[in-house]
Amino acid sequence: MTDEKTPKKLEERLQEAARHTEEQMELTEPSLSYFENLIEEQTALWYRRLWFELTCLWGMAFIFISFLIFSFFYVPLLFVFAQITSIIILIRYFYKERYEMVEMRQ
């Protein structure tokens, strides 16, 4: 086994490469204000989305409640109108059939 491939030499070379990389890369940590601004922006976006969803929910609830009120007051009227219309159609049909029967007997 060569001297460069022993685990101790490999470890030293890796540590040296890591130190060299750290020296070349300047790692700077952002300031606290950066994180505070990031939190404020995310909170504002979250509140905006929350208000949008609540507005949509309120709109759907308004439509649903309006439909319930409409059905409570006007569906009985529509039912009565349908009953009156069907009675008129049946009376007309009865007279038409009666008239045809009278013609057939003559």
Side-chain angles (χ1 to χ4, degrees), residues 21-53:
T21 304
E22 284 180 8
E23 289 172 3
Q24 285 185 348
M25 295 176 56
E26 291 185 25
L27 299 176
T28 56
E29 185 176 306
S31 65
L32 182 62
S33 63
Y34 170 77
F35 292 109
E36 289 174 347
N37 288 337
L38 187 63
I39 290 171
E40 288 176 8
E41 289 174 11
Q42 293 299 318
T43 305
L45 287 173
W46 184 77
Y47 276 116
R48 231 179 296 147
R49 182 174 177 189
L50 179 67
W51 276 111
F52 175 75
E53 290 175 358

